[in-house]
CSV table of all heavy atoms in Angstrom, one decimal:
chain,number,residue,atom,x,y,z
B,1,ALA,N,102.6,100.3,102.9
B,1,ALA,CA,104.1,100.3,103.1
B,1,ALA,C,104.6,101.8,102.8
B,1,ALA,O,105.6,102.2,103.4
B,1,ALA,CB,104.9,99.4,102.4
B,2,TYR,N,104.0,102.4,101.9
B,2,TYR,CA,104.5,103.7,101.4
B,2,TYR,C,103.7,104.9,101.7
B,2,TYR,O,104.2,106.0,101.8
B,2,TYR,CB,104.7,103.7,99.9
B,2,TYR,CG,105.8,102.7,99.4
B,2,TYR,CD1,105.6,101.5,99.0
B,2,TYR,CD2,107.1,103.2,99.5
B,2,TYR,CE1,106.6,100.7,98.6
B,2,TYR,CE2,108.1,102.4,99.1
B,2,TYR,CZ,107.9,101.1,98.6
B,2,TYR,OH,108.9,100.4,98.2
B,3,ARG,N,102.3,104.8,101.9
B,3,ARG,CA,101.5,106.0,102.0
B,3,ARG,C,100.4,105.9,103.1
B,3,ARG,O,100.1,104.8,103.5
B,3,ARG,CB,100.7,106.2,100.6
B,3,ARG,CG,101.5,106.1,99.4
B,3,ARG,CD,102.3,107.4,99.2
B,3,ARG,NE,103.3,107.3,98.2
B,3,ARG,CZ,103.1,107.4,96.8
B,3,ARG,NH1,101.9,107.4,96.4
B,3,ARG,NH2,104.1,107.2,96.0
B,4,GLY,N,100.0,107.0,103.5
B,4,GLY,CA,99.0,107.0,104.6
B,4,GLY,C,99.6,106.8,105.9
B,4,GLY,O,100.7,106.6,106.2
B,5,ASP,N,98.7,106.9,106.9
B,5,ASP,CA,99.0,106.7,108.3
B,5,ASP,C,99.6,105.4,108.6
B,5,ASP,O,100.5,105.3,109.5
B,5,ASP,CB,97.8,107.0,109.2
B,5,ASP,CG,97.4,108.4,109.2
B,5,ASP,OD1,98.3,109.3,109.0
B,5,ASP,OD2,96.2,108.7,109.5
B,6,GLU,N,99.1,104.3,108.0
B,6,GLU,CA,99.7,102.9,108.2
B,6,GLU,C,101.1,102.9,108.0
B,6,GLU,O,101.9,102.3,108.7
B,6,GLU,CB,98.9,101.9,107.4
B,6,GLU,CG,99.4,100.5,107.6
B,6,GLU,CD,99.0,99.9,109.0
B,6,GLU,OE1,98.2,100.5,109.7
B,6,GLU,OE2,99.6,98.8,109.3
B,7,SER,N,101.6,103.6,106.9
B,7,SER,CA,103.0,103.6,106.5
B,7,SER,C,103.9,104.2,107.5
B,7,SER,O,105.1,103.9,107.6
B,7,SER,CB,103.2,104.3,105.2
B,7,SER,OG,103.0,105.7,105.3
B,8,ARG,N,103.4,105.0,108.4
B,8,ARG,CA,104.2,105.7,109.4
B,8,ARG,C,104.6,104.7,110.5
B,8,ARG,O,105.5,105.1,111.3
B,8,ARG,CB,103.4,106.9,110.0
B,8,ARG,CG,103.2,107.9,109.0
B,8,ARG,CD,102.4,109.2,109.6
B,8,ARG,NE,101.9,110.0,108.6
B,8,ARG,CZ,102.5,111.0,108.0
B,8,ARG,NH1,103.8,111.1,108.2
B,8,ARG,NH2,101.9,111.7,107.1
B,9,LYS,N,104.1,103.5,110.5
B,9,LYS,CA,104.4,102.5,111.5
B,9,LYS,C,105.8,101.8,111.1
B,9,LYS,O,106.5,101.2,111.9
B,9,LYS,CB,103.5,101.4,111.6
B,9,LYS,CG,102.1,101.8,112.2
B,9,LYS,CD,101.1,100.6,112.2
B,9,LYS,CE,99.8,101.1,112.7
B,9,LYS,NZ,98.8,100.0,112.7
B,10,GLY,N,106.2,102.1,109.9
B,10,GLY,CA,107.5,101.6,109.3
B,10,GLY,C,108.4,102.7,109.0
B,10,GLY,O,108.0,103.9,109.1
B,11,TRP,N,109.6,102.4,108.5
B,11,TRP,CA,110.5,103.5,108.1
B,11,TRP,C,110.6,103.8,106.7
B,11,TRP,O,111.3,104.7,106.2
B,11,TRP,CB,111.9,103.1,108.7
B,11,TRP,CG,112.6,102.0,108.0
B,11,TRP,CD1,112.4,100.7,108.3
B,11,TRP,CD2,113.5,102.1,107.0
B,11,TRP,NE1,113.2,99.9,107.4
B,11,TRP,CE2,113.9,100.7,106.7
B,11,TRP,CE3,114.1,103.1,106.2
B,11,TRP,CZ2,114.9,100.4,105.6
B,11,TRP,CZ3,115.0,102.8,105.2
B,11,TRP,CH2,115.4,101.5,104.9
B,12,THR,N,109.8,103.1,105.8
B,12,THR,CA,109.9,103.3,104.3
B,12,THR,C,108.8,104.2,103.9
B,12,THR,O,108.6,104.4,102.7
B,12,THR,CB,109.7,102.0,103.6
B,12,THR,OG1,108.5,101.4,103.9
B,12,THR,CG2,110.8,101.0,103.9
B,13,THR,N,108.1,104.9,104.8
B,13,THR,CA,107.0,105.8,104.5
B,13,THR,C,107.4,106.9,103.5
B,13,THR,O,108.5,107.5,103.6
B,13,THR,CB,106.3,106.3,105.7
B,13,THR,OG1,105.1,107.1,105.2
B,13,THR,CG2,107.3,107.3,106.5
B,14,GLU,N,106.5,107.2,102.5
B,14,GLU,CA,106.7,108.3,101.7
B,14,GLU,C,105.5,109.3,102.0
B,14,GLU,O,105.3,110.3,101.3
B,14,GLU,CB,106.6,107.9,100.2
B,14,GLU,CG,107.7,107.1,99.8
B,14,GLU,CD,107.5,106.5,98.4
B,14,GLU,OE1,106.5,106.6,97.8
B,14,GLU,OE2,108.5,106.0,97.8
B,15,ALA,N,104.8,109.1,103.1
B,15,ALA,CA,103.6,109.9,103.4
B,15,ALA,C,103.9,111.4,103.4
B,15,ALA,O,103.0,112.2,103.2
B,15,ALA,CB,102.9,109.4,104.7
B,16,ASP,N,105.1,111.8,103.9
B,16,ASP,CA,105.4,113.2,104.0
B,16,ASP,C,105.8,113.8,102.6
B,16,ASP,O,105.8,115.0,102.4
B,16,ASP,CB,106.5,113.5,105.0
B,16,ASP,CG,106.0,113.1,106.4
B,16,ASP,OD1,104.9,113.3,106.7
B,16,ASP,OD2,106.9,112.8,107.2
B,17,LEU,N,106.1,112.9,101.7
B,17,LEU,CA,106.6,113.3,100.3
B,17,LEU,C,105.5,113.3,99.3
B,17,LEU,O,105.4,114.2,98.4
B,17,LEU,CB,107.7,112.5,99.8
B,17,LEU,CG,108.9,112.4,100.7
B,17,LEU,CD1,109.9,111.4,100.1
B,17,LEU,CD2,109.6,113.8,100.8
B,18,LEU,N,104.5,112.4,99.4
B,18,LEU,CA,103.5,112.2,98.4
B,18,LEU,C,102.2,111.9,99.1
B,18,LEU,O,102.1,111.2,100.1
B,18,LEU,CB,103.9,111.0,97.6
B,18,LEU,CG,105.1,111.2,96.7
B,18,LEU,CD1,105.9,109.8,96.5
B,18,LEU,CD2,104.7,111.7,95.3
B,19,GLU,N,101.1,112.4,98.5
B,19,GLU,CA,99.7,112.0,98.9
B,19,GLU,C,99.2,111.1,97.9
B,19,GLU,O,99.6,111.0,96.8
B,19,GLU,CB,98.9,113.3,99.0
B,19,GLU,CG,99.3,114.3,100.1
B,19,GLU,CD,98.6,115.5,100.2
B,19,GLU,OE1,97.4,115.5,99.7
B,19,GLU,OE2,99.2,116.5,100.7
B,20,GLY,N,98.2,110.4,98.2
B,20,GLY,CA,97.5,109.4,97.3
B,20,GLY,C,98.1,108.1,97.5
B,20,GLY,O,98.8,107.7,98.3
B,21,ILE,N,97.8,107.2,96.4
B,21,ILE,CA,98.2,105.9,96.5
B,21,ILE,C,99.5,105.6,95.8
B,21,ILE,O,100.0,106.4,95.0
B,21,ILE,CB,97.1,105.0,95.7
B,21,ILE,CG1,96.9,105.3,94.2
B,21,ILE,CG2,95.8,105.0,96.5
B,21,ILE,CD1,96.1,104.3,93.5
B,22,ARG,N,100.1,104.5,96.0
B,22,ARG,CA,101.4,104.1,95.4
B,22,ARG,C,101.1,103.2,94.2
B,22,ARG,O,101.8,103.2,93.2
B,22,ARG,CB,102.2,103.3,96.5
B,22,ARG,CG,103.5,102.6,95.9
B,22,ARG,CD,104.5,103.7,95.5
B,22,ARG,NE,105.8,103.1,95.2
B,22,ARG,CZ,106.2,102.4,94.1
B,22,ARG,NH1,105.2,102.2,93.2
B,22,ARG,NH2,107.3,101.9,93.9
B,23,THR,N,100.1,102.4,94.3
B,23,THR,CA,99.8,101.5,93.1
B,23,THR,C,98.3,101.2,93.2
B,23,THR,O,97.6,101.5,94.2
B,23,THR,CB,100.6,100.3,93.1
B,23,THR,OG1,100.5,99.6,91.8
B,23,THR,CG2,100.2,99.3,94.2
B,24,ASP,N,97.7,100.6,92.1
B,24,ASP,CA,96.4,100.2,92.1
B,24,ASP,C,96.3,98.8,91.4
B,24,ASP,O,97.3,98.3,90.8
B,24,ASP,CB,95.4,101.2,91.4
B,24,ASP,CG,95.8,101.5,90.0
B,24,ASP,OD1,96.5,100.6,89.3
B,24,ASP,OD2,95.4,102.4,89.4
B,25,ALA,N,95.1,98.2,91.5
B,25,ALA,CA,94.9,96.9,91.0
B,25,ALA,C,95.1,96.7,89.5
B,25,ALA,O,95.7,95.8,89.0
B,25,ALA,CB,93.5,96.3,91.3
B,26,ASP,N,94.6,97.8,88.7
B,26,ASP,CA,94.9,97.7,87.3
B,26,ASP,C,96.3,97.7,86.9
B,26,ASP,O,96.8,96.9,86.0
B,26,ASP,CB,94.1,98.9,86.6
B,26,ASP,CG,92.6,98.8,86.6
B,26,ASP,OD1,92.1,97.7,86.9
B,26,ASP,OD2,91.9,99.8,86.4
B,27,SER,N,97.1,98.5,87.6
B,27,SER,CA,98.5,98.6,87.3
B,27,SER,C,99.2,97.3,87.6
B,27,SER,O,100.1,96.8,86.9
B,27,SER,CB,99.2,99.8,88.1
B,27,SER,OG,98.7,100.9,87.6
B,28,LEU,N,98.8,96.7,88.7
B,28,LEU,CA,99.5,95.4,89.1
B,28,LEU,C,99.1,94.3,88.1
B,28,LEU,O,99.9,93.4,87.8
B,28,LEU,CB,99.1,95.1,90.5
B,28,LEU,CG,99.8,95.9,91.6
B,28,LEU,CD1,99.3,95.5,93.0
B,28,LEU,CD2,101.3,95.8,91.5
C-alpha cells in the first residue's frame, strides 16, 4: 500500500518519498 511499484496502483503511495519497506514481521 505504501512502497514499491505495487503501491503506485493506489493513491496512498509513498514510493516517491521513501525507499525500502514500511514495516516488517518483527515489528508487527
